[in-house]
Amino acid sequence: MTTYYYLGWFNNFFPKDLAHALSRDTTTRHSLVMISSNPASSSVNGFTELSWLEDAGIFFDEYHLINYEVEQEEAKRRISDASAIFLLGGDTVKQNSFLYEYDLLELIQSNGGIVIGASAGAINMSSKWVCSPNLGHLTSATTIYNGLAFHNFSVLSHFNLEHNMDVVKQELALLSDELPVFVSNKDCAIRVQENRIEIFGDVYLYSQQNMTKLTERVHSVTDFPSPL
């Protein structure tokens, strides 16, 4: 039974309840595979994301970083053998292109272990997501990207909501008519397991152009206005 974590970004470390949940879910800790958000750069090494796990007492026997230095077939083998997969934060577009170029989507979808995404990684776990200059992307035009599509919703993760809520509503309005969008800032997370969605921190649901703040608890998918 796969469990999915859509993370924002954490200035320090995971809050205790999130750390406990992730520690409980990672029952097998043989191999952690990290997928770079900028596969052409060796400086994107997951050091920050790993520090969150280590602070929570979560350690693996093996750690593997997948980028362009790893051959495609070797990357696929490591993903197939992974106990957990972590899509790193950073450049959402470059990570998305890498996932398609290396043909990794089906392997990640069928892995069966824990799948974690932080910021850009969480966005790329979406069904679809909006790439827009008004949402912090280095682009001149707004584009809709397909993600890993684990669930029938979109995620906008690690965005400065306090000062940009009107921008977020405008940029995501059309997408919210098509599917629910979970919107979060820093120090937030969404845990999804079967038909249960657990909220950590300040997370909003934007559906049919209506923005609702979610309570920090375990929700059933039937709690939401649109099918997930």
Side-chain angles (χ1 to χ4, degrees), residues 2-3 10 25 27 31 67 99 102 104 109 112 139 174 176 203 208 219:
T2 305
T3 304
F10 298 87
D25 288 332
T27 55
S31 172
N67 56 22
L99 291 170
Y102 262 45
L104 301 179
Q109 291 165 343
T139 180
L174 293 180
S176 81
V203 178
Q208 302 295 314
H219 299 258

Side-chain angles (χ1 to χ4, degrees), residues 101-226:
E101 181 182 346
Y102 262 45
D103 191 26
L104 301 179
L105 278 79
E106 289 187 7
L107 281 174
I108 298 172
Q109 291 165 343
S110 62
N111 172 266
I114 302 295
V115 182
I116 308 166
S119 191
I123 294 170
N124 272 320
M125 288 167 59
S126 298
S127 175
K128 297 179 181 179
W129 57 275
V130 175
C131 176
S132 164
N134 293 325
L135 296 177
H137 298 282
L138 298 176
T139 180
S140 59
T142 298
T143 307
I144 301 293
Y145 280 81
N146 292 319
L148 286 158
F150 293 121
H151 306 96
N152 187 36
F153 58 71
S154 182
V155 171
L156 174 62
S157 179
H158 181 198
F159 195 70
N160 186 359
L161 294 180
E162 287 83 354
H163 303 99
N164 295 282
M165 186 63 83
D166 288 342
V167 172
V168 168
K169 289 179 179 179
Q170 179 178 339
E171 291 296 311
L172 300 182
L174 293 180
L175 185 62
S176 81
D177 287 336
E178 180 180 349
L179 74 170
V181 185
F182 288 94
V183 182
S184 69
N185 205 344
K186 297 179 180 180
D187 301 319
C188 301
I190 302 167
R191 174 184 179 270
V192 184
Q193 186 181 71
E194 293 186 319
N195 65 342
R196 298 184 301 275
I197 298 178
E198 188 169 3
I199 301 299
F200 302 88
D202 293 332
V203 178
Y204 296 78
L205 180 68
Y206 193 36
S207 179
Q208 302 295 314
Q209 302 192 33
N210 291 313
M211 187 75 77
T212 304
K213 186 174 182 180
L214 300 175
T215 56
E216 288 192 74
R217 64 177 179 87
V218 179
H219 299 258
S220 168
V221 294
T222 59
D223 294 340
F224 299 103
S226 300

Side-chain angles (χ1 to χ4, degrees), residues 7 9-15 19 22 32 34 45-60 63 86 88 118:
L7 307 180
W9 198 258
F10 298 87
N11 289 326
N12 295 304
F13 299 109
F14 293 148
L22 190 52
L32 174 68
M34 298 173 289
N45 52 22
F47 178 82
T48 298
E49 291 91 331
L50 282 178
S51 72
W52 303 337
L53 295 177
E54 292 171 358
D55 182 75
I58 302 171
F59 298 90
F60 292 82
Y63 296 86
F86 203 144
L88 302 179

